[in-house]
């Protein structure tokens, strides 16, 4: 028989089930709500082991959001999924430059991807930014180059692109860039995962 839950209780019950299915496994308290939010979004417990989080990256991300930082994404889907109400209350906004005029033309003329060009556009933003990458490994490669060149100092990089071509390599590389990161190692990820990680931090501020 199905469980009877009021609509407002479904999410709460989902998290209770996730905790039950952990079967006693203890998560790092700092990272626990991020990991559980990703599992809630994907119903995939592989993220217990796939998510690689640098020391205190979640705390640093939350602190940056409290200070009003912006979020840059590589897809409109991730942008749509991030809770912009909470973010705007904190003084931040979400940027996605993939559809901006000129990005496609510049990418074509340089034989680059729009995602890479979009990261270069983001490097010109004045405010500190969290980068939430859920689709394009070339965005992570571009971020790595910008960071190493001293042109960009991200508050946090969320590296969770999904797929097969250069996905694993881009994630492994960004973890060597010397900035805080939350990375889904391997091929799994997606724009929904990138948004879920952002929301997991935002919800801890506005509980």
């Amino acid at each position: 028989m199905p469980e009877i839950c009021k609509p407002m209780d479904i999410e709460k019950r989902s998290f209770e089930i996730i905790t039950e299915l952990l079967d006693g496994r203890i998560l790092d308290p700092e990272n626990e709500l991020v990991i559980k939010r990703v599992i809630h979004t994907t119903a995939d417990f592989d993220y217990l082991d796939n998510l690689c989080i640098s020391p205190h990256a979640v705390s640093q991300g939350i602190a940056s959001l409290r200070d009003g930082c912006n979020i840059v994404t590589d897809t409109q889907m991730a942008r749509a999924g991030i809770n912009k109400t909470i973010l705007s209350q904190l003084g931040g906004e979400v940027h996605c430059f993939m559809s901006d005029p000129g990005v496609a033309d510049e990418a074509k003329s340089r034989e680059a991807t729009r995602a890479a060009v979009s990261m270069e556009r983001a490097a010109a933003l004045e405010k500190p930014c969290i980068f939430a990458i859920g689709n394009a490994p070339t965005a992570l490669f571009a971020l790595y180059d910008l960071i190493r060149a001293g042109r960009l100092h991200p508050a946090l990089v969320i590296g969770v692109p999904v797929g097969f071509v250069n996905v694993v390599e881009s994630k492994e590389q960004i973890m060597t860039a010397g900035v805080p990161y939350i990375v889904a190692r391997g091929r799994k990820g997606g724009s929904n995962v990138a948004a879920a990680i952002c929301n997991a931090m935002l919800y801890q501020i506005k509980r």
Side-chain angles (χ1 to χ4, degrees):
M1 294 292 291
E3 290 191 48
I4 305 301
C5 289
K6 295 179 181 178
M8 66 285 293
D9 293 332
I10 292 174
E11 181 174 293
K12 178 183 177 182
R13 179 58 184 140
S14 294
F15 277 87
E16 290 173 351
I17 292 171
I18 290 168
T19 300
E20 292 167 6
L21 292 174
L22 290 178
D23 196 27
R25 178 165 175 173
I26 304 300
L27 304 179
D28 182 332
E30 181 182 339
N31 302 332
E32 180 177 1
L33 294 180
V34 167
I35 296 169
K36 287 183 175 179
R37 176 66 58 180
V38 171
I39 293 172
H40 175 261
T41 298
T42 61
D44 188 343
F45 281 81
D46 283 353
Y47 286 103
L48 286 170
D49 300 306
N50 292 351
L51 278 182
C52 188
I53 302 174
S54 64
H56 308 300
V58 173
S59 295
Q60 291 167 335
I62 290 172
S64 296
L65 290 167
R66 286 187 189 276
D67 289 340
C69 80
N70 291 333
I71 298 174
V72 175
T73 78
D74 64 330
T75 65
Q76 296 295 344
M77 182 183 295
R79 182 180 183 278
I82 293 170
N83 191 310
K84 289 173 284 296
T85 299
I86 297 176
L87 186 62
S88 65
Q89 290 171 352
L90 297 168
E93 58 184 315
V94 185
H95 296 284
C96 180
F97 297 107
M98 293 291 286
S99 302
D100 275 22
V103 168
D105 291 339
E106 183 176 347
K108 184 177 180 180
S109 67
R110 292 169 46 190
E111 296 186 346
T113 67
R114 285 187 299 159
V117 174
S118 292
M119 296 303 106
E120 294 171 5
R121 293 286 178 93
L125 295 173
E126 294 183 1
K127 291 181 69 175
C129 292
I130 290 172
F131 286 81
I133 309 304
N135 182 69
T138 55
L140 289 184
F141 286 135
L143 286 177
Y144 178 84
D145 290 341
L146 290 164
I147 293 164
R148 297 291 295 211
R151 295 174 56 192
L152 186 63
H153 305 280
L156 170 67
V157 174
I158 299 168
V160 293
V162 60
F164 298 93
V165 179
N166 291 325
V167 167
V168 174
E169 295 83 355
S170 68
K171 293 172 179 179
E172 295 298 319
Q173 185 185 68
I174 200 64
M175 289 192 292
T176 69
V179 299
Y181 61 79
I182 301 174
V183 167
R185 297 181 98 162
R187 296 188 176 98
K188 292 186 178 182
S191 296
N192 59 333
V193 175
I197 293 170
C198 293
N199 288 336
M201 294 187 292
L202 289 167
Y203 295 156
Q204 290 184 66
I205 297 172
K206 301 295 288 187
R207 280 189 290 186

